[in-house]
PDB file of all heavy atoms in Angstrom:
ATOM      1  N   ASN K 235     -17.948  -2.629 -12.852  1.00 98.00           N
ATOM      2  CA  ASN K 235     -18.641  -1.400 -13.101  1.00 98.00           C
ATOM      3  C   ASN K 235     -18.999  -1.188 -14.585  1.00 98.00           C
ATOM      4  O   ASN K 235     -18.150  -1.386 -15.451  1.00 98.00           O
ATOM      5  CB  ASN K 235     -17.717  -0.246 -12.734  1.00 98.00           C
ATOM      6  CG  ASN K 235     -17.592  -0.160 -11.157  1.00 98.00           C
ATOM      7  OD1 ASN K 235     -18.560   0.007 -10.500  1.00 98.00           O
ATOM      8  ND2 ASN K 235     -16.287  -0.289 -10.698  1.00 98.00           N
ATOM      9  N   ASN K 236     -20.249  -0.822 -14.850  1.00 98.00           N
ATOM     10  CA  ASN K 236     -20.597  -0.417 -16.223  1.00 98.00           C
ATOM     11  C   ASN K 236     -21.066   0.982 -16.191  1.00 98.00           C
ATOM     12  O   ASN K 236     -21.976   1.355 -15.521  1.00 98.00           O
ATOM     13  CB  ASN K 236     -21.825  -1.321 -16.593  1.00 98.00           C
ATOM     14  CG  ASN K 236     -21.602  -2.824 -16.508  1.00 98.00           C
ATOM     15  OD1 ASN K 236     -20.680  -3.293 -17.157  1.00 98.00           O
ATOM     16  ND2 ASN K 236     -22.370  -3.487 -15.769  1.00 98.00           N
ATOM     17  N   LEU K 237     -20.326   1.861 -16.976  1.00 98.00           N
ATOM     18  CA  LEU K 237     -20.686   3.230 -16.997  1.00 98.00           C
ATOM     19  C   LEU K 237     -21.111   3.497 -18.483  1.00 98.00           C
ATOM     20  O   LEU K 237     -20.255   3.264 -19.430  1.00 98.00           O
ATOM     21  CB  LEU K 237     -19.561   4.105 -16.654  1.00 98.00           C
ATOM     22  CG  LEU K 237     -18.891   4.116 -15.297  1.00 98.00           C
ATOM     23  CD1 LEU K 237     -17.958   5.103 -15.007  1.00 98.00           C
ATOM     24  CD2 LEU K 237     -20.055   4.160 -14.170  1.00 98.00           C
ATOM     25  N   ASN K 238     -22.311   3.909 -18.649  1.00 98.00           N
ATOM     26  CA  ASN K 238     -22.793   4.205 -20.061  1.00 98.00           C
ATOM     27  C   ASN K 238     -23.293   5.611 -20.129  1.00 98.00           C
ATOM     28  O   ASN K 238     -24.131   6.059 -19.370  1.00 98.00           O
ATOM     29  CB  ASN K 238     -23.968   3.264 -20.265  1.00 98.00           C
ATOM     30  CG  ASN K 238     -23.562   1.765 -20.179  1.00 98.00           C
ATOM     31  OD1 ASN K 238     -22.554   1.304 -20.754  1.00 98.00           O
ATOM     32  ND2 ASN K 238     -24.218   1.109 -19.279  1.00 98.00           N
ATOM     33  N   PHE K 239     -22.581   6.380 -21.027  1.00 98.00           N
ATOM     34  CA  PHE K 239     -23.003   7.799 -21.248  1.00 98.00           C
ATOM     35  C   PHE K 239     -23.684   7.851 -22.609  1.00 98.00           C
ATOM     36  O   PHE K 239     -23.114   7.418 -23.564  1.00 98.00           O
ATOM     37  CB  PHE K 239     -21.811   8.698 -21.190  1.00 98.00           C
ATOM     38  CG  PHE K 239     -21.222   8.864 -19.879  1.00 98.00           C
ATOM     39  CD1 PHE K 239     -20.342   7.973 -19.382  1.00 98.00           C
ATOM     40  CD2 PHE K 239     -21.539   9.984 -19.110  1.00 98.00           C
ATOM     41  CE1 PHE K 239     -19.715   8.170 -18.105  1.00 98.00           C
ATOM     42  CE2 PHE K 239     -20.879  10.200 -17.916  1.00 98.00           C
ATOM     43  CZ  PHE K 239     -20.062   9.268 -17.325  1.00 98.00           C
ATOM     44  N   GLU K 240     -24.804   8.608 -22.609  1.00 98.00           N
ATOM     45  CA  GLU K 240     -25.441   8.882 -23.884  1.00 98.00           C
ATOM     46  C   GLU K 240     -25.588  10.467 -24.042  1.00 98.00           C
ATOM     47  O   GLU K 240     -26.136  11.067 -23.214  1.00 98.00           O
ATOM     48  CB  GLU K 240     -26.899   8.328 -23.913  1.00 98.00           C
ATOM     49  CG  GLU K 240     -27.408   8.089 -25.279  1.00 98.00           C
ATOM     50  CD  GLU K 240     -28.839   7.394 -25.279  1.00 98.00           C
ATOM     51  OE1 GLU K 240     -28.859   6.223 -24.899  1.00 98.00           O
ATOM     52  OE2 GLU K 240     -29.784   8.101 -25.466  1.00 98.00           O
ATOM     53  N   GLN K 241     -24.878  10.930 -25.114  1.00 98.00           N
ATOM     54  CA  GLN K 241     -24.891  12.414 -25.307  1.00 98.00           C
ATOM     55  C   GLN K 241     -25.946  12.719 -26.309  1.00 98.00           C
ATOM     56  O   GLN K 241     -25.841  12.445 -27.427  1.00 98.00           O
ATOM     57  CB  GLN K 241     -23.534  12.842 -25.743  1.00 98.00           C
ATOM     58  CG  GLN K 241     -22.355  12.557 -24.726  1.00 98.00           C
ATOM     59  CD  GLN K 241     -21.121  13.070 -25.153  1.00 98.00           C
ATOM     60  OE1 GLN K 241     -20.765  13.122 -26.363  1.00 98.00           O
ATOM     61  NE2 GLN K 241     -20.159  13.366 -24.202  1.00 98.00           N
ATOM     62  N   ASN K 242     -26.962  13.409 -25.901  1.00 97.00           N
ATOM     63  CA  ASN K 242     -28.215  13.738 -26.670  1.00 97.00           C
ATOM     64  C   ASN K 242     -28.269  15.206 -27.024  1.00 97.00           C
ATOM     65  O   ASN K 242     -29.298  15.608 -27.476  1.00 97.00           O
ATOM     66  CB  ASN K 242     -29.396  13.235 -26.006  1.00 97.00           C
ATOM     67  CG  ASN K 242     -29.484  11.690 -25.938  1.00 97.00           C
ATOM     68  OD1 ASN K 242     -29.230  10.990 -26.908  1.00 97.00           O
ATOM     69  ND2 ASN K 242     -29.662  11.220 -24.732  1.00 97.00           N
ATOM     70  N   GLY K 243     -27.177  15.970 -26.892  1.00 97.00           N
ATOM     71  CA  GLY K 243     -27.261  17.317 -27.315  1.00 97.00           C
ATOM     72  C   GLY K 243     -25.841  17.775 -27.501  1.00 97.00           C
ATOM     73  O   GLY K 243     -24.881  17.081 -27.137  1.00 97.00           O
ATOM     74  N   SER K 244     -25.757  18.967 -28.204  1.00 97.00           N
ATOM     75  CA  SER K 244     -24.400  19.516 -28.401  1.00 97.00           C
ATOM     76  C   SER K 244     -23.734  19.990 -27.155  1.00 97.00           C
ATOM     77  O   SER K 244     -24.286  20.288 -26.113  1.00 97.00           O
ATOM     78  CB  SER K 244     -24.336  20.609 -29.460  1.00 97.00           C
ATOM     79  OG  SER K 244     -25.139  21.602 -28.993  1.00 97.00           O
ATOM     80  N   ASN K 245     -22.336  20.149 -27.265  1.00 97.00           N
ATOM     81  CA  ASN K 245     -21.556  20.627 -26.208  1.00 97.00           C
ATOM     82  C   ASN K 245     -21.754  19.839 -24.945  1.00 97.00           C
ATOM     83  O   ASN K 245     -21.699  20.438 -23.834  1.00 97.00           O
ATOM     84  CB  ASN K 245     -21.874  22.059 -26.021  1.00 97.00           C
ATOM     85  CG  ASN K 245     -20.829  22.799 -25.177  1.00 97.00           C
ATOM     86  OD1 ASN K 245     -19.625  22.390 -25.079  1.00 97.00           O
ATOM     87  ND2 ASN K 245     -21.194  23.787 -24.396  1.00 97.00           N
ATOM     88  N   CYS K 246     -21.812  18.574 -24.909  1.00 98.00           N
ATOM     89  CA  CYS K 246     -21.843  17.798 -23.712  1.00 98.00           C
ATOM     90  C   CYS K 246     -20.379  17.361 -23.385  1.00 98.00           C
ATOM     91  O   CYS K 246     -19.596  17.143 -24.271  1.00 98.00           O
ATOM     92  CB  CYS K 246     -22.609  16.430 -23.949  1.00 98.00           C
ATOM     93  SG  CYS K 246     -24.364  16.730 -23.970  1.00 98.00           S
ATOM     94  N   GLU K 247     -20.154  17.109 -22.118  1.00 98.00           N
ATOM     95  CA  GLU K 247     -18.934  16.598 -21.730  1.00 98.00           C
ATOM     96  C   GLU K 247     -19.163  15.417 -20.718  1.00 98.00           C
ATOM     97  O   GLU K 247     -19.860  15.491 -19.814  1.00 98.00           O
ATOM     98  CB  GLU K 247     -18.040  17.606 -21.056  1.00 98.00           C
ATOM     99  CG  GLU K 247     -16.696  17.212 -20.737  1.00 98.00           C
ATOM    100  CD  GLU K 247     -15.650  18.332 -20.393  1.00 98.00           C
ATOM    101  OE1 GLU K 247     -15.707  19.352 -21.213  1.00 98.00           O
ATOM    102  OE2 GLU K 247     -14.967  18.204 -19.480  1.00 98.00           O
ATOM    103  N   SER K 248     -18.476  14.246 -20.976  1.00 98.00           N
ATOM    104  CA  SER K 248     -18.538  13.094 -20.226  1.00 98.00           C
ATOM    105  C   SER K 248     -17.142  12.713 -19.709  1.00 98.00           C
ATOM    106  O   SER K 248     -16.252  12.552 -20.522  1.00 98.00           O
ATOM    107  CB  SER K 248     -19.150  11.901 -20.952  1.00 98.00           C
ATOM    108  OG  SER K 248     -20.304  12.272 -21.626  1.00 98.00           O
TER     109      SER K 248
END
Side-chain angles (χ1 to χ4, degrees):
Chain K
N235 289 302
N236 304 302
L237 301 186
N238 304 305
F239 288 82
E240 199 178 291
Q241 297 182 334
N242 294 310
S244 63
N245 193 31
C246 286
E247 185 168 314
S248 308

